[in-house]
Amino acid sequence: MDVKAAPNGVATIEDRILRITGYYGYYPGYSSQKSTSRSSVTRCKPGANCPSSHSGISRQLSPLSVTEDSSAPILELQNRGSSGVCGHRVERQNRSADDGTQTHSENNSQENRIKAHCLSCTSMVLKAIWGLLIILSVSSSWVGTTQIVKITYKNFYCPFFMTWFSTNWNIMFFPVYYSGHLATAQEKQSPMKKFRECSRIFGEDGLTLKLFLKRTAPFSILWTLTNYLYLLALKKLTATDVSALFCCNKAFVFLLSWIVLKDRFMGVRIVAAIMAITGIVMMAYADNFHADSIIGVAFAVGSASTSALYKVLFKMFLGSANFGEAAHFVSTLGFFNLIFISFTPVILYFTKVEHWSSFAALPWGCLCGMAGLWLAFNILVNVGVVLTYPILISIGTVLSVPGNAAVDLLKQEVIFNVVRLAATIIICIGFLLMLLPEEWDEITLRFINSLKEKKSEEHVDDVTDPSVHLRGRSRANGTVSIPLA
């Protein structure tokens, strides 16, 4: 129907407002119809019938009634208000949940960092404890081996037979390793499977007869020469001198690695090698270049040289080996010694070079003690690399020098003059210089710079502390201190 605008234009403005605000109950002429319906409604007395009015209202109203139209905005506002409140509540709950999860994740990450730090500290402490125990074990086993050899020489002097006998005990290295595997590993493996796994040190195909002869023969000869020359030197020199001269093998390893393996050149290790050579000359001079002294020094230096050649060739042809592969290789050397080198002591026995009256007369206790300690030394050297830092193994080796010196002094077998003592100290210092890492100069510079930074920070703190104290006192007294120009 046609809606006429009021003279004052109220209906038109209301229509426009409803149309602009998007009220869903709006239709053209809504405001005029609403005013008409209000004017046509008459009050009836209670109990009276007003059909005309009701019919008029029903004819004039749209399908939506006045009650529905008037209540619709209220319901809409209520819905909007309730939805707005609920939305704010949900939003706050989501924000609080997000904050809680973020705080929880930060706490978890902090706890994980603390746990990781504690685990790293615990592992470092355990490594240090294991390192201390292995240092003492390595040095004591090497000192014990050397001193037992000296005791055995009083009644029995057959150095090659002693070398052959002790090398045969290397066969027990892999069984000892496999026993430790059974005791510690969660997944147990059969002996053959473990043996094949560890034989990969010889190649992907494992240990074959060709590789057994090709790879084991040169290392077995070098092993035997190293031990045999060491025992020969112990006949001519004291245990202290021989153990000190044997420490020169670290310098020889560096020189051979630099020449053969093209390792990095390091000036500090050249200085250590020169110190080792100087100690060797001074050791020979300590007895005024006596014949036995010179021969003993030559034997000890030869033993250190063959030991260095063994290590360099092992690194060249076989590379690095884990504990199981090292145990397999040393046991293989023992088998090779038993099979192929056993004819040498037999020849020496029948040629009267190394002869003994009967097998019952052999000092089996000293021989077994020497072989057992030698095997323990080899096992500890390889176990120590797994359990602790490799540098500690070398420190345990050099500590055998003061250990042998203490025993020799107690036995009154050595008289330390100035030259011998200086030679021993120089060789030991050269050995320790060889243990410096390749980046020792950078590490040293970083350490010095950090000390300088700490000193400068402490100096700045000392300078700023009095001014802060002065300001605090002046403010407490209610005055302001003005620095003088």
Side-chain angles (χ1 to χ4, degrees):
M1 77 186 122
D2 297 331
V3 180
K4 295 181 179 179
N8 55 2
V10 174
T12 306
I13 292 173
E14 187 176 359
D15 285 341
R16 289 179 181 177
I17 291 172
L18 292 176
R19 184 172 67 249
I20 292 171
T21 55
Y23 176 61
Y24 67 88
Y26 167 77
Y27 58 90
Y30 170 79
S31 58
S32 60
Q33 285 189 11
K34 189 166 65 170
S35 60
T36 307
S37 63
R38 283 178 183 175
S39 62
S40 61
V41 174
T42 57
R43 293 185 179 182
C44 297
K45 294 181 180 181
N49 294 324
C50 301
S52 61
S53 62
H54 284 286
S55 61
I57 294 172
S58 61
R59 283 193 304 267
Q60 292 175 359
L61 288 180
S62 65
L64 289 174
S65 64
V66 175
T67 307
E68 292 173 352
D69 293 337
S70 61
S71 62
I74 299 172
L75 291 175
E76 185 179 359
L77 291 174
Q78 289 178 353
N79 290 332
R80 288 181 182 177
S82 61
S83 63
V85 172
C86 293
H88 285 299
R89 288 179 182 175
V90 171
E91 202 171 334
R92 288 174 184 173
Q93 290 177 358
N94 291 334
R95 287 179 182 175
S96 61
D98 292 338
D99 294 339
T101 53
Q102 187 175 1
T103 307
H104 185 66
S105 62
E106 289 178 357
N107 293 332
N108 288 336
S109 62
Q110 189 174 4
E111 290 177 359
N112 292 331
R113 290 173 187 170
I114 294 172
K115 288 180 180 179
H117 184 67
C118 292
L119 288 175
S120 63
C121 293
T122 305
S123 63
M124 289 179 65
V125 171
L126 289 176
K127 272 194 171 185
I129 294 173
W130 278 113
L132 180 62
L133 293 176
I134 287 177
I135 283 175
L136 297 175
S137 301
V138 167
S139 59
S140 60
S141 61
W142 191 244
V143 170
T145 303
T146 306
Q147 295 297 329
I148 288 177
V149 171
K150 297 289 286 185
I151 294 171
T152 308
Y153 278 169
K154 295 179 179 179
N155 301 319
F156 182 76
Y157 180 67
C158 295
F160 193 88
F161 176 79
M162 295 167 66
T163 302
W164 173 83
F165 181 77
S166 62
T167 306
N168 287 335
W169 281 51
N170 288 339
I171 299 173
M172 300 172 62
F173 199 157
F174 186 79
V176 170
Y177 162 74
Y178 185 73
S179 301
H181 166 73
L182 291 179
T184 58
Q186 295 180 354
E187 297 180 0
K188 308 295 188 298
Q189 295 181 359
S190 62
M192 288 303 299
K193 186 177 180 180
K194 197 66 181 176
F195 186 83
R196 289 170 183 169
E197 179 183 342
C198 295
S199 64
R200 292 177 183 174
I201 188 174
F202 294 98
E204 294 296 332
D205 298 332
L207 182 62
T208 59
L209 182 60
K210 181 180 179 180
L211 287 175
F212 177 74
L213 297 174
K214 182 180 178 181
R215 296 290 176 86
T216 310
F219 292 105
S220 181
I221 293 170
L222 289 173
W223 182 288
T224 304
L225 274 176
T226 299
N227 296 337
Y228 180 59
L229 292 172
Y230 188 84
L231 296 184
L232 288 175
L234 285 173
K235 184 65 176 177
K236 304 292 182 181
L237 300 174
T238 62
T240 306
D241 296 343
V242 176
S243 58
L245 290 169
F246 188 76
C247 289
C248 296
N249 71 333
K250 205 76 176 175
F252 298 151
V253 168
F254 165 68
L255 293 175
L256 289 173
S257 299
W258 179 39
I259 296 170
V260 178
L261 301 179
K262 307 298 181 183
D263 281 357
R264 179 185 174 186
F265 174 80
M266 291 181 62
V268 66
R269 292 186 179 177
I270 289 292
V271 173
I274 294 172
M275 293 178 67
I277 296 170
T278 304
I280 292 169
V281 176
M282 292 178 66
M283 194 71 72
Y285 177 75
D287 293 328
N288 296 322
F289 292 101
H290 192 267
D292 288 342
S293 177
I294 295 175
I295 294 172
V297 170
F299 284 151
V301 173
S303 176
S305 302
T306 52
S307 174
L309 184 60
Y310 173 91
K311 293 177 181 179
V312 172
L313 291 179
F314 187 92
K315 187 177 180 180
M316 180 187 295
F317 293 107
L318 300 177
S320 59
N322 55 31
F323 184 35
E325 293 173 349
H328 182 282
F329 186 76
V330 174
S331 295
T332 307
L333 292 181
F335 274 109
F336 187 91
N337 180 79
L338 181 62
I339 296 171
F340 294 100
I341 304 181
S342 296
F343 67 92
T344 306
V346 174
I347 293 172
L348 295 176
Y349 176 80
F350 285 108
T351 56
K352 305 295 183 177
V353 176
E354 291 186 359
H355 186 76
W356 57 90
S357 58
S358 63
F359 283 99
L362 293 176
W364 291 109
C366 291
L367 292 175
C368 292
M370 176 198 68
L373 286 175
W374 220 324
L375 176 64
F377 174 79
N378 293 323
I379 292 175
L380 287 170
V381 166
N382 290 279
V383 169
V385 175
V386 178
L387 296 179
T388 184
Y389 305 101
I391 191 173
L392 299 180
I393 309 301
S394 301
I395 293 175
T397 304
V398 77
L399 285 179
S400 64
V401 178
N404 281 314
V407 175
D408 288 344
L409 286 174
L410 292 175
K411 292 166 61 178
Q412 296 180 353
E413 291 185 355
V414 64
I415 299 174
F416 283 104
N417 54 21
V418 178
V419 178
R420 177 177 276 109
L421 186 60
T424 304
I425 293 173
I426 288 173
I427 291 174
C428 292
I429 292 174
F431 183 89
L432 294 176
L433 287 177
M434 285 292 175
L435 302 180
L436 291 175
E438 294 184 355
E439 299 84 7
W440 70 274
D441 50 351
E442 298 177 2
I443 296 172
T444 306
L445 289 175
R446 270 191 251 123
F447 180 71
I448 293 173
N449 291 330
S450 64
L451 289 179
K452 289 182 179 178
E453 290 176 358
K454 286 182 180 179
K455 287 183 179 179
S456 62
E457 289 176 359
E458 290 176 358
H459 181 67
V460 170
D461 292 338
D462 293 338
V463 171
T464 55
D465 282 343
S467 61
V468 174
H469 183 63
L470 182 60
R471 285 198 302 269
R473 289 179 58 187
S474 61
R475 288 177 183 175
N477 295 327
T479 61
V480 179
S481 63
I482 302 174
L484 298 175

